Structures are given as C-alpha cells and as structure tokens.
Amino acid sequence: MEGMGGVVAETPDFCPPPLSPRMLPFASCLPGSLLLWAFLLLLLGAASPQDSEEPDSYTECTDGYEWDADSQHCRDVNECLTIPEACKGEMKCINHYGGYLCLPRSAAVISDLHSEGPPPPAASAQHPNPCPPGYEPDEQESCVDVDECTQAIHDCRPSQDCHNLPGSYQCTCPDGYRKIGPECVDIDECRYRYCQHRCVNLPGSFRCQCEPGFQLGPNNRSCVDVNECDMGAPCEQRCFNSYGTFLCRCNQGYELHRDGFSCSDIDECSYSSYLCQYRCVNEPGRFSCHCPQGYQLLATRLCQDIDECETGAHQCSEAQTCVNFHGGYRCVDTNRCVEPYVQVSDNRCLCPASNPLCREQPSSIVHRYMSITSERSVPADVFQIQATSVYPGAYNAFQIRAGNTQGDFYIRQINNVSAMLVLARPVTGPREYVLDLEMVTMNSLMSYRASSVLRLTVFVGAYTF
Ligand SMILES: *[C@@H]1O[C@H](CO)[C@@H](O)[C@H](O)[C@H]1NC(C)=O
Ligand SMILES: *[C@@H]1O[C@H](CO)[C@@H](O)[C@H](O)[C@H]1NC(C)=O
C-alpha cells in the first residue's frame, strides 16, 4: 500500500460496482462515453487496509495530510497547489481529502468533491457488509475476496502496479522502477555501466548500443566487431576487415577511387614513355608492350627483330637468297652477276681478264648485305673492309665508288689492308643504299694496279631498334 493519492480511472460505460461499506462513492455515471468514477480510499478517520493498525491519535499524518498543531488534527494538503504539475496535460486538478483527482476539464464534478467538510462516513452504507475487510458476500452469502485492482478501488499511483491480495491489495513499483517519495521513478540503469559502448535508458529498462562497426554480443551488453567484409561491404575488389571498420583495397594495376570503395584502372602507359620500347597498351589492371611488324617482344618491353630467314617465315625461292634486315627480309637472286661478269661463287662475280670489256672494270664484285637501325648516333663505324690477300710491298687504297650521292657515308682507312665504312649522318628508314666500296691495290713501283669492288647493300630499318 503506497500513498494516498486520488485516482482517476477511465473505464467502459458502466456504473460503479457495489462498494464495501468502508468505501464511499464520489462519482456517478457521467454523461457521454467517458465515465469517470473515483474513490477516495482514505477519508478522515478511515484507514487504508495496510494502515489499519495505526493508532487513532497520532502526530504523524498519513500521506496527503499534514499535522495542524492548532487544531491537533491532521489537515488535508491541497496537492493541486503544492505538487507542480499534479495533473498532466488537459486534466484539471481537484483537491480532496488525503489526495487529489485529475479529471478532464470537460467533466462535470459532483459538488461533494468541493465540499470542505468531511464526506459522509463509509459506515452510512445502507447494506451492512457481513464480511471482513476486503471481502464481500456473493450470491451464496459467502465472503469472497474483492479484487480492488480490477475494480479500481485502490489508491495505487499511476506509476505503480496494483496487485490484488486476499482481503487486500498492494501497490508496487514495476521492474526497472524504484520508489522515490510516493512515486515510482524509472531507474537509470545506464549509471551502472552495464554496457560496453553506449547505454540508452528506457522507461523501466535499458538497452546497450554499439558504435558503428560493432554489434551487440550474445549477452546484449558487450560489443563485438562486425566483419563487414562478410556482410556485403561495398568494396569493389578487396575487403579487409579491421577492428570496428573495414578497408577496401584494389588489385595490382588498379587504384582506389576517392569514394574508398571502387577501383579504377591505372593507365600505366601514361606514367612513362620508357615502359615499352615501341608501343604501350593499357589494359584492365595491367599494360603490355607491343612491337611493330617484323619484331617480337623480348622479355617484357624490348622489341627484337625477327630473322625471317632463320625462322623459315620467308618466301624466297630456290634460286634466291634470303637476306634479313631490321623489320623484314629480302629475297635476292643468288646469281647477281651481270655480263661481262661471271659467277665464281655465291656472292662473287669475276670479270675475266681475257675479256676486252673487262679492261676498265673492277676485276671482281662481291655482294654483301647489312642492316642498320634508324637514327644511329654519328659518326658510326658500320662496316670494315679487309683485303683478303696481302702481297709484299703492295698498297691498298679504299674509296666509295658509287651509291653515296648524298654523302651519308665516308671511308676511314685503317691501314694499307683494311678500312672502315663510317655513317656520317643520321639516317631514317625505311630505306636502302647500295654502295660500291672499291679497293685499289698497287705495288710500290706503281707498275701494277688492280681494282675490286664490294657491293654493299645497307638496309636502314624504320625504327631505332
Ligand atoms: C538479448 O536481446 C534479445 C532481443 O531483445 C533477447 O531475445 C535475448 O534473450 C537477449 N539475450 C540476453 C542474454 O539477454
Ligand atoms: C702495307 O702493309 C704491309 C703489312 O703491314 C707492309 O708489309 C707493307 O710494306 C705496307 N706497304 C706500304 C707501301 O706501306
């Protein structure tokens, strides 16, 4: 039994049930759907069930009364004036003995509620109750317990739970509430550090919450890391769970977008022009080097000439010789000797001394082929000529007899039996030169002079490799 506050209950549209003699009706059926009826459990001199042992005269008054030394009586407290916001919202506060009532402002109030004098004593009930307090007779004239809680003839505060007892009832605080003064007040469980991360107090209970990236453990209090990677984290490529969060990463060749989730291809080719010797091709997550026709990739970035004559990719006939050069090949006639020259070996043509037409001609022509790349730095030694037979006292002179109209080459004599063909200017292919390199052999008496020619074909490739 807690407090003596007045009680207002809203119930369906019916009149109050019969009352025990100790109870006094204060209200009757009110018009409209709203039926209000109220009971003041404690009247002057009438004790509540739990207070029944208290002495008749005392200087300590029950709740709702205060001791008046002048009159030597307990005097009703006007809670409507002393309790701030005694009634919430639209309810109006009606003071009464030992308590107060909250009624809708529209409700009609029986004038008894306002009377200053004590209400008529409970004993004035017309039908004396033969049963003990808290019991009432049923049809069989036996005493049955009155459920004060369901009949709303209790004085539990709205914050309290009413529990019916045999012959009595009890007002208790719900779970999660404790009594402070007359009222049940929510316990702030969050003050007791029940939660690992965050605590949210709720009326009558509490709830633990976890920081983002964590979830409540099985005990509903501790927080455990969420593996976002298993929960559909929006990483486009790779996801790494970490304590409380996750990180997106990208595969090699991709970089993480500013949004932290998506990956975009890295254009490696834009980084450097030296990644590939010829052409860099960006691909998703990687790049590759390409080579021009006639070349193959060496390792990853270099281009190497394909020797079509070696690989058999050429289409030269039996009567032809395959000549490889940078980026391609050439089929040349095996016999390139032109009258009056006659072929004496694969590359060598001789002008027979017996033939009068050969008197002013080089006695032999030897065919040779070579290949250089474009844009070589100059001067560059490209070919060395060597006299094959050395005669005592003989002297050899070398010169470019034909094919050097633009002066792209010159001859540097090394000694009297050899010389070097030198590229004088940077040349760009594809192009080819046919140079006649002449070696003139004389003896010291100048009584002997012989000329032979090395017909050198120089292929200049299209590239610098
Ligand atoms: C945790 O909370 C859930 C949902 O409220 C409940 O079903 C479960 O019994 C609680 N577990 C514990 C250990 O309190
Ligand atoms: C040419 O060189 C050879 C060998 O080095 C030598 O025997 C000969 O005397 C040289 N001739 C002249 C004219 O220098």
Side-chain angles (χ1 to χ4, degrees), residues 190-253:
C190 292
R191 292 173 55 193
Y192 304 107
R193 300 182 186 278
Y194 285 148
C195 297
Q196 184 181 352
H197 282 184
R198 277 184 281 132
C199 182
V200 177
N201 186 50
L202 299 172
S205 69
F206 69 102
R207 188 172 61 225
C208 295
Q209 291 181 342
C210 294
E211 303 293 342
F214 295 85
Q215 62 187 11
L216 274 184
N219 64 2
N220 288 346
R221 292 183 177 177
S222 56
C223 294
V224 293
D225 177 48
V226 172
N227 186 345
E228 292 87 353
C229 297
D230 293 342
M231 312 265 293
C235 292
E236 187 178 325
Q237 288 184 351
R238 299 189 191 185
C239 181
F240 294 94
N241 184 52
S242 68
Y243 191 68
T245 183
F246 67 98
L247 289 172
C248 295
R249 289 286 179 262
C250 296
N251 297 328
Q252 191 166 10

Side-chain angles (χ1 to χ4, degrees), residues 414-457:
I414 300 170
N415 52 41
N416 68 16
V417 291
S418 66
M420 182 65 74
L421 177 67
V422 180
L423 180 66
R425 300 207 299 219
V427 292
T428 302
R431 66 180 292 183
E432 67 182 82
Y433 298 89
V434 179
L435 301 173
D436 277 357
L437 307 179
E438 184 181 36
M439 180 176 75
V440 179
T441 305
M442 295 159 285
N443 67 9
S444 48
L445 302 173
M446 300 293 280
S447 60
Y448 173 81
R449 187 179 188 277
S451 163
S452 62
V453 163
L454 182 77
R455 186 159 289 167
L456 180 66
T457 304

Side-chain angles (χ1 to χ4, degrees), residues 177-433:
Y177 290 81
R178 65 192 166 109
K179 192 162 176 295
I180 296 180
E183 293 286 353
C184 294
V185 176
D186 176 42
I187 298 170
D188 183 2
E189 293 88 354
C190 292
R191 292 173 55 193
Y192 304 107
R193 300 182 186 278
Y194 285 148
C195 297
Q196 184 181 352
H197 282 184
R198 277 184 281 132
C199 182
V200 177
N201 186 50
L202 299 172
S205 69
F206 69 102
R207 188 172 61 225
C208 295
Q209 291 181 342
C210 294
E211 303 293 342
F214 295 85
Q215 62 187 11
L216 274 184
N219 64 2
N220 288 346
R221 292 183 177 177
S222 56
C223 294
V224 293
D225 177 48
V226 172
N227 186 345
E228 292 87 353
C229 297
D230 293 342
M231 312 265 293
C235 292
E236 187 178 325
Q237 288 184 351
R238 299 189 191 185
C239 181
F240 294 94
N241 184 52
S242 68
Y243 191 68
T245 183
F246 67 98
L247 289 172
C248 295
R249 289 286 179 262
C250 296
N251 297 328
Q252 191 166 10
Y254 292 84
E255 60 190 352
L256 197 62
H257 193 259
R258 270 214 308 261
D259 63 14
F261 303 117
S262 52
C263 296
S264 47
D265 178 47
I266 296 173
D267 182 4
E268 295 89 356
C269 296
S270 68
Y271 284 6
S272 166
S273 53
Y274 294 102
L275 283 175
C276 294
Q277 189 176 36
Y278 178 59
R279 181 169 297 153
C280 181
V281 177
N282 184 51
E283 294 170 14
R286 58 190 292 270
F287 71 98
S288 62
C289 295
H290 289 199
C291 290
Q293 179 137 31
Y295 290 83
Q296 63 192 4
L297 204 58
L298 179 68
T300 54
R301 63 170 292 269
L302 294 178
C303 292
Q304 185 184 46
D305 174 50
I306 297 171
D307 187 345
E308 294 86 354
C309 301
E310 285 290 313
T311 63
H314 67 86
Q315 293 177 334
C316 300
S317 69
E318 288 287 310
Q320 291 176 317
T321 301
C322 179
V323 177
N324 182 60
F325 58 87
H326 288 93
Y329 69 98
R330 177 73 52 83
C331 295
V332 296
D333 291 339
T334 306
N335 179 7
R336 302 190 72 186
C337 300
V338 182
E339 283 281 327
Y341 287 86
V342 292
Q343 186 182 17
V344 292
S345 69
D346 266 4
N347 293 314
R348 183 179 291 264
C349 307
L350 265 186
C351 213
S354 54
N355 189 333
L357 292 172
C358 292
R359 189 161 299 163
E360 297 300 317
Q361 299 292 331
S363 62
S364 73
I365 297 177
V366 175
H367 291 94
R368 286 272 190 273
Y369 305 89
M370 69 170 295
S371 174
I372 61 173
T373 59
S374 286
E375 290 159 34
R376 291 189 59 165
S377 57
V378 291
D381 294 353
V382 295
F383 192 86
Q384 184 169 340
I385 321 158
Q386 184 82 34
T388 49
S389 37
V390 178
Y391 304 102
Y395 177 81
N396 296 300
F398 300 87
Q399 64 174 8
I400 302 175
R401 184 184 162 106
N404 190 29
T405 51
Q406 276 150 32
D408 293 337
F409 298 88
Y410 64 85
I411 286 277
R412 187 180 79 246
Q413 183 113 16
I414 300 170
N415 52 41
N416 68 16
V417 291
S418 66
M420 182 65 74
L421 177 67
V422 180
L423 180 66
R425 300 207 299 219
V427 292
T428 302
R431 66 180 292 183
E432 67 182 82
Y433 298 89

Side-chain angles (χ1 to χ4, degrees), residues 14-314:
F14 62 87
C15 290
L19 297 168
S20 72
R22 296 186 300 104
M23 304 300 178
L24 185 71
F26 271 74
S28 59
C29 293
L30 295 175
S33 65
L34 178 69
L35 176 77
L36 294 170
W37 45 282
F39 302 99
L40 280 191
L41 286 177
L42 185 71
L43 306 176
L44 270 182
S48 66
Q50 273 74 26
D51 292 340
S52 51
E53 283 87 20
E54 287 189 21
D56 284 336
S57 78
Y58 43 78
T59 54
E60 214 173 6
C61 300
T62 52
D63 283 353
Y65 292 83
E66 61 187 3
W67 180 250
D68 184 1
D70 293 342
S71 64
Q72 289 290 298
H73 277 94
C74 287
R75 190 176 59 194
D76 177 50
V77 174
N78 186 348
E79 290 88 355
C80 294
L81 300 178
T82 56
I83 300 178
E85 291 185 341
C87 294
K88 307 273 184 211
E90 291 301 300
M91 306 294 268
K92 62 183 170 189
C93 183
I94 312 288
N95 182 50
H96 199 72
Y97 308 105
Y100 64 100
L101 300 174
C102 294
L103 293 176
R105 298 204 180 280
S106 58
V109 178
I110 296 169
S111 59
D112 273 2
L113 288 171
H114 298 290
S115 65
E116 286 298 314
S124 69
Q126 289 180 349
H127 305 292
N129 186 352
C131 296
Y135 292 86
E136 62 185 4
D138 63 3
E139 286 90 36
Q140 284 79 41
E141 298 291 319
S142 55
C143 291
V144 295
D145 176 46
V146 174
D147 188 343
E148 294 86 356
C149 297
T150 57
Q151 295 185 20
I153 45 179
H154 62 85
D155 66 347
C156 297
R157 299 243 170 171
S159 64
Q160 295 172 333
D161 286 341
C162 178
H163 295 283
N164 186 50
L165 298 172
S168 176
Y169 65 98
Q170 200 173 19
C171 299
T172 58
C173 288
D175 285 347
Y177 290 81
R178 65 192 166 109
K179 192 162 176 295
I180 296 180
E183 293 286 353
C184 294
V185 176
D186 176 42
I187 298 170
D188 183 2
E189 293 88 354
C190 292
R191 292 173 55 193
Y192 304 107
R193 300 182 186 278
Y194 285 148
C195 297
Q196 184 181 352
H197 282 184
R198 277 184 281 132
C199 182
V200 177
N201 186 50
L202 299 172
S205 69
F206 69 102
R207 188 172 61 225
C208 295
Q209 291 181 342
C210 294
E211 303 293 342
F214 295 85
Q215 62 187 11
L216 274 184
N219 64 2
N220 288 346
R221 292 183 177 177
S222 56
C223 294
V224 293
D225 177 48
V226 172
N227 186 345
E228 292 87 353
C229 297
D230 293 342
M231 312 265 293
C235 292
E236 187 178 325
Q237 288 184 351
R238 299 189 191 185
C239 181
F240 294 94
N241 184 52
S242 68
Y243 191 68
T245 183
F246 67 98
L247 289 172
C248 295
R249 289 286 179 262
C250 296
N251 297 328
Q252 191 166 10
Y254 292 84
E255 60 190 352
L256 197 62
H257 193 259
R258 270 214 308 261
D259 63 14
F261 303 117
S262 52
C263 296
S264 47
D265 178 47
I266 296 173
D267 182 4
E268 295 89 356
C269 296
S270 68
Y271 284 6
S272 166
S273 53
Y274 294 102
L275 283 175
C276 294
Q277 189 176 36
Y278 178 59
R279 181 169 297 153
C280 181
V281 177
N282 184 51
E283 294 170 14
R286 58 190 292 270
F287 71 98
S288 62
C289 295
H290 289 199
C291 290
Q293 179 137 31
Y295 290 83
Q296 63 192 4
L297 204 58
L298 179 68
T300 54
R301 63 170 292 269
L302 294 178
C303 292
Q304 185 184 46
D305 174 50
I306 297 171
D307 187 345
E308 294 86 354
C309 301
E310 285 290 313
T311 63
H314 67 86

